[in-house]
Amino acid sequence: LALLPRARGELRAFVVAHSHMDVGWVYTVQESMHAYAANVYTTVIEELMKGKQRKFIAVEQEFFRLWWDMVATDTQKQQVHQLLQEGRLEFVIGGQVMHDEAVTLIDDQILQLTEGHGFLYETFGFRPQFSWHVDPFGASATTPTLFALAGFNAHLISRIDYDLKADMQKNKKLQFVWQGSPSLSERQEIFTHVMDQYSYCTPSHLPFSNRSGFFWNGFATFPDPPKDGVYPNMSLPVTDANLHLYAQTMVANIKERAAWFRTGDVLWPWGCDKQFFNASVQYSNMDLLVDYINKHSGEFGVTVQYATVSDYFQAVYSRNLTWETRDSQDFLPYSTEPFEAWTGFYTSRSTLKGIARRASSLLYAGESFFAQYVRKHPKGSICKYKALKQLQSLRWAVSEVQHHDGITGTESPKVKDMYMNNLMYGMFNVKKLMASIIFDVNNAKKNGEVYSSVYTKDSGKPGVDQYVVVYNPLAWNVTTFVTVSVSSEAISVYDELGRSVPAQVQSSVESQSTYDLYILVEISGLSYRKYSIKPLNGKQSAFIGRSIMYKRRDLTRADQQSQHLFPVVNNCYQIVFDQNTNLMHSITERETNQTVQFTQEFLEYHVNGDTKKGPISDNYLFAPNASAVPVSKAVGLEVMSGSLMTEIRQYFYSNVTSQDYIYAVYTRLYSVPEGYDGRLLCHRIEQEYSVGPLELNREAILRTSTNLNTRQLLYTDNNGYQMQKRPFKAYVNNTVARNYYPMVQTAYIEDDTTRLMLLAERAHGVSSQGNGQVEVMLHRRLWNNLQWDLDNNLTLNDSSVVRPVIWLILGSKAVTNTLYRTSGLALEHRPVVIFGALSGDKPKLPRRLQRNSVRDSPVTVPPNLHLQTLSIPGWKYSSNHAEQVHSIHAGKQKQGDADFSRVLLRIRHLYEVGEDPVLSQPVVVDLKSLLKGLGSVTAVEERSLTGTWDVNTLERWKWKTAQYPGKRFFNSTEASEDYIVTVHPKEIRTFFVYFQVQ
C-alpha cells in the first residue's frame, strides 16, 4: 500500500467510492439494471482505467453478475481482471445480496454468501475478506461469526440504536473485537467497525451552495436515463472559484469524524444509493479535490487518498492497538429516534416471509436428493446439466430474497411480486426435478406410473391408485404426519410392501367438499418412501375424525364464576378448554404433572396513518398509539377427534351475530400408536392460524398468557443459530415497540422450573409485554400519508389472509432442551410430498422395491448435529489456490462443463457449550462411514464456510485485545485425520468430498 508521507498527528482520510445498489426495494432488478445499475459498472471500469490513483468497491453480486453475463464486453472483462489484480477494484462482502440480519435464517445467509463467493472465485480467483453491512436494520450476532468462518478480517456495520451510537461515538467505542458466538468465542471473533452518524452516504451539505455536494452525477431517474445526460440534483462542479471552499467543507467533515475514533485514519464513504452511474463526472471532480487537499496538507492537517475497505482496515490494523471485546449481545432492535422503532418489518408481508422459507426448505431437500441421484445413478437418464440449472434457478431466487429490502417486507408491491415470481419459478423447477428423479429411479415407465410435483384433485380417477412419495430431507429418522387432500372418507393407505399404514381422514378446514388425510410416515435420514392411497376395500380403512360442534359463546356475557371444563389428551399433554368461553384454560405436562394456566387471545394494535397526528407505522416502523385491543366478542368451537389426532378449531368473531370470522386457530394434538417413535410428535402442540383480511392500520397479535413467573424476560433466536436474552426495558417513549424482537425460528419464556417454547416456520415480531406473557405479531395492514412512503409505494396495504404455523412445547427446561433444536428443524424441513398415479390404461404389474435408490442407504447424524448442506454446487474452480489463480491468469479457466464430482458437505453442532450435559458434548464423526450410502469416499478437504479457502492456509488477522495481547494469526480448526472429524459446540464445518468414480 503506497502511503503518502504524513506528519505526526496528521489525519489520513480514506475515500471509499461505492454505490449502494438495492437488489429490489422500490424498483425491480430489471428496472434498476436499465435505469442505472449497468451504467455503474460500465462507467466505473472505464474511469478506473483512466487514473491509476482511482479505486472503487463493488458490494452485492446480483447486479454485477447480470452486468458481467449480459452487458460487459471482452475488453471490459479483461479490465476487471486487471483492476482486481492492482487492488483498485475490490469486492466486499461478495454475497449475492447484502442480507438482512433480523429475519433471515442462517442457512439462507450462508447460501447467498456461498452463491456470490463461488462466482467470484471461479471467475477471478478472488476471495472477499471484508464486510460492508451498511444498511440492514439492526445487527445480529450471527453475522460476525459467519463472516469470520468465511475468512473475513474485519466486519463493518452501521444501523444500530441512535442513542447507543451517540454514546459509542462520544466515547470512541465504535470499533471493537466482537465475539459473536459464546461457544466459539475468540476462535471466531472479528474486528468490527460501526459507522459514525453520517453512515454510508457522503454528507452532502455545502455551506456555499444550495445544491447538495459530492454527488456530481446527480440522482438516478426511472424508468429511463435522461437522453441529454443531465440528471436531477447534480452537485456544483469543482472550479478554481470554489475549489478551496469544497476542500474546507470536506476537511471539516473529516476532522469532525476523526474525533470519534481512536486512530488518525478516517473512513470517508463517497457515494450513496444508486450512485456512480456516471463515474466520469464523479472522479473528474473528486480528483481535483484530492490533489488540492494533498498539496495543502500542511495547512489542512489532512491527507486524502482513494481507498478500498481493505486499505482502510489495513491502516487501522497496522497501528497495533489493543481493542475492547464485545460479547455475543446483538444490536437489535433498531431505532432511529424515540418514536421510530424499526420492529414492524419483523412481521411485514408475512406471506412473502413464509414462501421464502418454504422455498429455502425445498431447495435444501432438492439439493440432497439430486446429490444422491448423481452419486448412485451415474447412468441415470436425467440430464445433469439441466438439473443443475433447475437447482440454480432456486438458489438464485432464495439468495435474492434475503436482501435487506426483500424478506423484510420493506419493498414496493411490484418488487414483492418479482421476488414471489422468482421463488415460485424456482420451486416449480425443483419439484419437477424431484418428480423426474423418482420417475427415473422407479422404472416408472415400465410400471405405467406418472409423477407430478403438483397435486391436482382429478389426478386420481375414481377407483385408481394414487401414490404419494415422501422424502425426508433431514439426516435423522423422522416420524411425523403428512397431509394430503382427498375426495372421500372411505380410504386405505398402504406402504410399498402392502402393509396398512396408520392414517386419519376428516373434513377439511379449507372446503366443504374435500377431506384432509393425515398419514403417519416413518422415514430414515435423506430417504424416501412410497405410499399408496386406495379407495376402501375390505376392513383396513383410515381412522375417521368425528366432529363435535360447540355453541358459539358470547365473551361479554360469559359467566366468569362457573367453568365448564373439558380435556383433550395425548401421552404428553392434557389441554383443558372452558366451554363457557370456548377458550383454552390450562395445559398439564403429564410427565411431571405440572399444570400451567394457559389462555390465548387475538388482539390488535391500532396505529395512526396521519403524519399530522403523530408517529406512524409503516413497512419498517411499528408505532402503536395505545395498548392492544381484543378483537373478538364471540368464539366458536369445533373439535375433530380421531385415534391419531385431535384438532381443535376455534373461530373468533367480532360479535355473536357476525357471519364471518377474521381469526381462527387450529390446534392439533397427536397420538402415536405403539411401535412408532413418537417422542417429538407427542411433545408438540401444533397451531395453525388464519388471520385477515385486516382493517386498515391494524397490527394483529396472538397473546399467550400463563401463570409462569417469567419476570417479563423473553428469549429469542438470532437467525435460528443462537439464543439472545431479552429483558423488558422501560423507555420514556414507545416502550411497546422497542420491546419487540425478531423470532426467526425460536422464542421462549420460563420460570424456575417450566419453559414454554414457540417454534416458527417464518419470521415474526415477538414481545413479552407482561409477566408470564408472550405475544406474536402475525399480520399487519397499514396505510399512511407520509409523502416519501406514498412516492415509493411503501404503505403496506396488505389485504391478504395469512396462515402461519407455530409449534408449542411446554415442559421442564431439561426436557425442552433436548427437544427444541430437533423440533425446530423438523418444522423447518417438513417432508416433501410428491404425488403420483397409475396412468390408468396399463395393466398393473407387481412392484418390487428398487434397491440402490435414494431410499435404502440412509445418512444419519446424532441429534445434536445437523447435516446443514449436502449438495453438488457444480463449481469448476480448482480447490488448489495457486492452480486456480494460475489458470485464470493464463486464460485457461474451464469453460462450459460443470463439475459433478465435488460434493459440498456442511455439518453444524446445534448446542452451546454447557447448554445440556449430554448434547453439548463434542461429536466424533467418521465422514467415510456417514456417506457410505453415496459411494466410497476417496478424499475430503476441509474448507472455509463458503468453500473458497482451504482451512489449512486460511490465516485471518488477529487483532490485539486485553484478553490476547499477542498479535498472532488465527487458524480455525484442527486437521481431520483419516476422515474422522470432531465437531465442537456451535461449530459449522464445511468440506469438499470426493467419491470413487463408479
Side-chain angles (χ1 to χ4, degrees):
L1 178 60
L3 296 176
L4 298 157
R6 46 192 280 282
R8 276 181 68 90
E10 191 176 82
L11 302 176
R12 185 167 37 158
F14 293 78
V15 177
V16 175
H18 76 100
S19 179
H20 184 71
M21 298 156 75
D22 284 300
V23 181
W25 186 34
V26 178
Y27 300 101
T28 65
V29 168
Q30 291 74 11
E31 288 174 315
S32 299
M33 279 299 284
H34 174 71
Y36 82 94
N39 290 338
V40 172
Y41 292 114
T42 300
T43 66
V44 163
I45 299 308
E46 187 182 341
E47 290 308 308
L48 292 180
M49 296 308 291
K50 289 181 186 168
K52 281 289 183 205
Q53 77 288 13
R54 296 172 173 179
K55 298 189 176 185
F56 188 82
I57 61 165
V59 189
E60 54 291 299
Q61 286 306 301
E62 180 151 335
F63 287 124
F64 180 81
R65 288 175 73 172
L66 290 170
W67 175 80
W68 182 261
D69 288 340
M70 286 151 48
V71 181
T73 62
D74 287 347
T75 305
Q76 286 166 333
K77 290 185 175 184
Q78 279 313 113
Q79 290 170 339
V80 170
H81 280 283
Q82 182 187 331
L83 291 165
L84 282 168
Q85 281 169 50
E86 292 173 6
R88 297 199 294 117
L89 174 65
E90 178 173 73
F91 291 109
V92 292
I93 308 179
Q96 194 70 358
V97 297
M98 183 187 296
H99 70 253
D100 166 68
E101 300 196 31
V103 299
T104 46
L105 194 63
I106 184 171
D107 308 59
D108 303 328
Q109 297 177 350
I110 294 171
L111 170 78
Q112 74 83 23
L113 210 54
T114 305
E115 184 66 23
H117 286 192
F119 163 76
L120 287 175
Y121 195 55
E122 184 167 278
T123 314
F124 307 111
F126 185 88
R127 304 181 280 201
Q129 291 190 273
F130 300 94
S131 106
W132 182 259
H133 254 227
V134 297
D135 204 30
F137 323 133
S140 158
T142 308
T143 316
T145 302
L146 288 194
F147 286 163
L149 289 167
F152 285 19
N153 289 320
H155 176 37
L156 182 149
I157 61 177
S158 181
R159 290 184 182 267
I160 64 170
D161 252 340
Y162 69 99
D163 42 3
L164 178 60
K165 182 178 277 200
D167 186 62
M168 290 168 78
Q169 203 166 265
K170 194 175 77 200
N171 297 307
K172 297 193 180 191
K173 290 189 185 298
L174 290 168
Q175 293 171 319
F176 48 86
V177 171
W178 196 354
Q179 299 181 347
S181 160
S183 295
L184 301 174
S185 62
E186 75 281 350
R187 284 184 299 146
Q188 299 301 346
E189 68 189 14
I190 191 166
F191 181 79
T192 303
H193 171 105
V194 183
M195 285 185 150
D196 58 47
Q197 69 190 43
Y198 291 105
S199 193
Y200 64 87
C201 290
T202 316
S204 59
H205 172 68
L206 296 179
F208 56 89
S209 162
N210 57 3
R211 284 194 252 167
S212 61
F214 307 101
F215 295 101
W216 292 287
N217 60 193
F219 292 96
T221 62
F222 287 81
D224 301 305
K227 297 268 184 291
D228 57 3
V230 177
Y231 284 84
N233 301 331
M234 294 171 80
S235 300
L236 205 60
V238 176
T239 59
D240 289 348
N242 64 24
L243 181 53
H244 188 74
L245 296 170
Y246 250 121
Q248 280 180 317
T249 305
M250 186 168 172
V251 166
N253 183 258
I254 290 166
K255 288 182 167 170
E256 181 188 6
R257 295 167 109 154
W260 300 327
F261 292 93
R262 289 179 59 199
T263 77
D265 313 297
V266 179
L267 177 63
W268 206 78
W270 174 37
C272 195
D273 292 43
K274 310 178 188 66
Q275 282 294 308
F276 283 88
F277 46 83
N278 177 353
S280 167
V281 63
Q282 290 282 80
Y283 283 108
S284 56
N285 280 283
M286 186 56 98
D287 283 351
L288 300 170
L289 255 176
V290 168
D291 291 346
Y292 182 80
I293 293 173
N294 288 336
K295 281 204 182 77
H296 300 87
S297 60
E299 171 195 338
F300 286 127
V302 169
T303 58
V304 184
Q305 64 187 79
Y306 289 119
T308 60
V309 178
S310 155
D311 295 338
Y312 170 71
F313 280 124
Q314 187 83 53
V316 176
Y317 183 63
S318 65
R319 299 207 176 241
N320 209 6
L321 298 182
T322 300
W323 299 96
E324 286 189 3
T325 53
R326 178 182 177 87
D327 66 9
S328 57
Q329 190 58 45
D330 64 8
F331 291 95
L332 289 165
Y334 160 63
S335 289
T336 33
E337 51 182 78
F339 281 103
E340 288 185 354
W342 295 48
T343 56
F345 81 90
Y346 302 158
T347 305
S348 296
R349 297 205 192 285
S350 178
T351 303
L352 175 63
K353 285 176 163 65
I355 294 282
R357 287 273 283 274
R358 297 296 330 122
S360 158
S361 171
L362 179 66
L363 176 63
Y364 174 76
E367 293 280 13
S368 65
F369 205 61
F370 176 64
Q372 294 185 79
Y373 175 75
V374 169
R375 290 294 330 130
K376 297 176 187 176
H377 300 274
K379 295 199 165 58
S381 68
I382 289 173
C383 170
K384 293 193 296 224
Y385 299 99
K386 183 185 168 197
L388 189 60
K389 282 211 158 30
Q390 290 173 309
L391 285 167
Q392 282 166 338
S393 69
L394 191 52
R395 288 176 194 169
W396 184 284
V398 173
S399 295
E400 174 185 78
V401 79
Q402 307 310 317
H403 171 64
H404 57 268
D405 286 300
I407 195 167
T408 50
T410 55
E411 65 282 278
S412 65
K414 66 180 171 187
V415 174
K416 180 259 296 176
D417 293 341
M418 173 197 79
Y419 293 128
M420 286 291 248
N421 291 339
N422 292 348
L423 288 165
M424 299 308 262
Y425 172 71
M427 288 170 82
F428 175 74
N429 280 334
V430 169
K431 281 182 173 165
K432 211 160 74 177
L433 170 62
M434 292 180 78
S436 52
I437 288 176
I438 291 166
F439 186 83
D440 189 48
V441 169
N442 275 284
N443 287 337
K445 228 187 206 113
K446 205 170 74 217
N447 300 336
E449 298 165 9
V450 286
Y451 286 100
S452 139
S453 52
V454 190
Y455 181 75
T456 50
K457 290 284 180 291
D458 55 351
S459 61
K461 301 183 177 116
V464 173
D465 287 8
Q466 268 177 266
Y467 301 117
V468 288
V469 173
V470 184
Y471 177 61
N472 166 27
L474 290 166
W476 304 310
N477 296 339
V478 165
T479 303
T480 190
F481 283 95
V482 295
T483 317
V484 178
S485 185
V486 290
S487 53
S488 142
E489 271 189 343
I491 245 169
S492 313
V493 181
Y494 301 94
D495 66 11
E496 294 108 324
L497 300 177
R499 294 174 301 204
S500 176
V501 174
Q504 179 170 322
V505 64
Q506 59 197 37
S507 66
S508 167
V509 167
E510 295 286 310
S511 83
Q512 301 305 306
S513 58
T514 61
Y515 297 88
D516 292 333
L517 173 66
Y518 288 81
I519 304 170
L520 182 65
V521 298
E522 193 178 30
I523 311 175
S524 47
L526 268 56
S527 305
Y528 71 83
R529 306 230 4 219
K530 188 162 132 188
Y531 299 90
S532 52
I533 301 169
K534 303 186 179 193
L536 198 55
N537 48 5
K539 305 185 287 292
Q540 290 290 353
S541 74
F543 297 113
I544 293 179
R546 293 292 176 217
S547 158
I548 305 165
M549 289 292 283
Y550 290 83
K551 196 169 153 231
R552 192 187 296 190
R553 294 296 179 181
D554 184 341
L555 296 179
T556 57
R557 326 243 328 245
D559 183 351
Q560 298 303 318
Q561 303 313 308
S562 75
Q563 290 175 326
H564 192 184
L565 305 178
F566 72 92
V568 174
V569 186
N570 74 354
N571 286 336
C572 297
Y573 300 110
Q574 171 175 286
I575 305 179
V576 174
F577 287 82
D578 183 353
Q579 255 174 272
N580 269 347
T581 58
N582 286 344
L583 295 174
M584 210 181 275
H585 170 270
S586 64
I587 301 180
T588 302
E589 202 273 315
R590 294 182 63 189
E591 199 176 344
T592 56
N593 214 16
Q594 175 94 11
T595 298
V596 175
Q597 281 166 14
F598 197 98
T599 55
Q600 289 185 312
E601 58 176 340
F602 288 106
L603 302 97
E604 286 173 349
Y605 286 103
H606 292 206
V607 296
N608 165 44
D610 184 353
T611 52
K612 294 190 194 71
K613 291 188 178 155
I616 53 152
S617 271
D618 63 12
N619 297 45
Y620 310 85
L621 308 177
F622 172 40
N625 53 19
S627 297
V629 181
V631 289
S632 76
K633 296 198 167 64
V635 183
L637 180 69
E638 179 184 9
V639 177
M640 301 291 304
S641 53
S643 310
L644 300 178
M645 179 192 67
T646 303
E647 181 176 65
I648 301 102
R649 302 173 178 176
Q650 292 165 290
Y651 302 98
F652 294 77
Y653 300 89
S654 50
N655 60 56
V656 157
T657 55
S658 306
Q659 282 299 300
D660 299 318
Y661 59 88
I662 308 176
Y663 292 87
V665 188
Y666 310 106
T667 303
R668 302 182 188 110
L669 204 58
Y670 296 102
S671 299
V672 183
E674 287 293 309
Y676 287 85
D677 173 12
R679 187 161 176 265
L680 286 186
L681 256 180
C682 175
H683 274 97
R684 81 178 167 240
I685 299 168
E686 180 174 302
Q687 291 198 315
E688 183 179 348
Y689 312 100
S690 174
V691 180
L694 301 178
E695 288 175 47
L696 264 184
N697 290 325
R698 299 285 188 269
E699 318 224 6
I701 63 162
L702 174 78
R703 182 176 288 164
T704 301
S705 305
T706 70
N707 61 344
L708 297 175
N709 180 20
T710 61
R711 301 176 188 80
Q712 238 175 310
L713 178 60
L714 173 70
Y715 295 82
T716 69
D717 65 331
N718 271 165
N719 315 107
Y721 179 64
Q722 63 192 38
M723 299 304 295
Q724 292 277 356
K725 201 173 186 170
R726 310 294 193 188
F728 189 85
K729 295 177 183 147
Y731 296 95
V732 179
N733 299 309
N734 218 14
T735 292
V736 169
R738 290 187 80 173
N739 279 284
Y740 256 79
Y741 294 93
M743 163 173 72
V744 177
Q745 206 171 43
T746 316
Y748 65 84
I749 55 173
E750 63 183 16
D751 64 10
D752 298 336
T753 59
T754 308
R755 182 184 286 170
L756 170 66
M757 311 257 356
L758 284 67
L759 300 171
E761 40 72 79
R762 69 187 72 178
H764 299 276
V766 288
S767 187
S768 178
Q769 298 284 340
N771 189 25
Q773 269 184 13
V774 58
E775 63 184 55
V776 180
M777 192 181 287
L778 297 174
H779 201 10
R780 323 175 70 215
R781 183 180 182 187
L782 310 167
W783 187 86
N784 70 72
N785 59 6
L786 181 68
Q787 202 51 51
W788 185 83
D789 276 339
L790 295 174
D791 291 346
N792 294 306
N793 202 353
L794 293 173
T795 54
L796 201 67
N797 187 356
D798 180 350
S799 57
S800 64
V801 176
V802 297
R803 303 291 299 261
V805 172
I806 288 178
W807 289 358
L808 307 174
I809 301 176
L810 182 73
S812 66
K813 292 181 191 182
V815 168
T816 54
N817 237 351
T818 62
L819 295 170
Y820 83 99
R821 303 268 183 197
T822 35
S823 295
L825 284 158
L827 173 56
E828 188 65 36
H829 297 299
R830 286 166 286 187
V832 177
V833 179
I834 287 173
F835 301 95
L838 268 182
S839 57
D841 49 355
K842 297 238 173 151
K844 237 179 94 184
L845 301 168
R847 288 183 318 283
R848 293 270 49 87
L849 272 177
Q850 273 288 116
R851 298 323 289 169
N852 187 31
S853 77
V854 180
R855 66 179 82 193
D856 60 329
S857 41
V859 177
T860 314
V861 295
N864 51 354
L865 294 188
H866 170 44
L867 190 76
Q868 182 149 333
T869 309
L870 181 70
S871 77
I872 293 182
W875 301 313
K876 302 186 283 274
Y877 62 69
S878 163
S879 47
N880 176 314
H881 184 62
E883 214 170 89
Q884 172 65 3
V885 171
H886 178 262
S887 72
I888 286 171
H889 292 178
K892 286 203 211 105
Q893 299 116 291
K894 281 186 272 184
Q895 289 307 314
D897 290 0
D899 177 1
F900 292 96
S901 67
R902 173 188 291 149
V903 172
L904 175 67
L905 169 74
R906 282 195 194 94
I907 297 176
R908 162 155 68 108
H909 197 302
L910 294 172
Y911 283 80
E912 298 283 0
V913 169
E915 189 181 352
D916 183 273
V918 178
L919 297 169
S920 291
Q921 298 301 320
V923 184
V924 178
V925 180
D926 179 340
L927 297 178
K928 209 169 177 142
S929 134
L930 174 70
L931 300 173
K932 66 178 184 293
L934 277 74
S936 172
V937 174
T938 55
V940 171
E941 300 163 356
E942 181 154 10
R943 306 294 289 183
S944 61
L945 183 70
T946 58
T948 54
W949 293 86
D950 172 344
V951 290
N952 301 309
T953 62
L954 174 59
E955 296 196 323
R956 294 197 306 121
W957 296 354
K958 176 65 185 156
W959 298 73
K960 273 193 347 190
T961 59
Q963 221 177 338
Y964 292 92
K967 185 161 135 183
R968 58 197 169 78
F969 282 102
F970 228 52
N971 214 332
S972 44
T973 46
E974 69 217 52
S976 46
E977 291 295 314
D978 298 334
Y979 313 117
I980 307 283
V981 184
T982 304
V983 187
H984 293 273
K986 284 329 253 193
E987 281 187 342
I988 302 173
R989 303 283 288 276
T990 303
F991 305 93
F992 288 164
V993 184
Y994 302 90
F995 293 86
Q996 198 172 321
V997 179
Q998 295 181 16

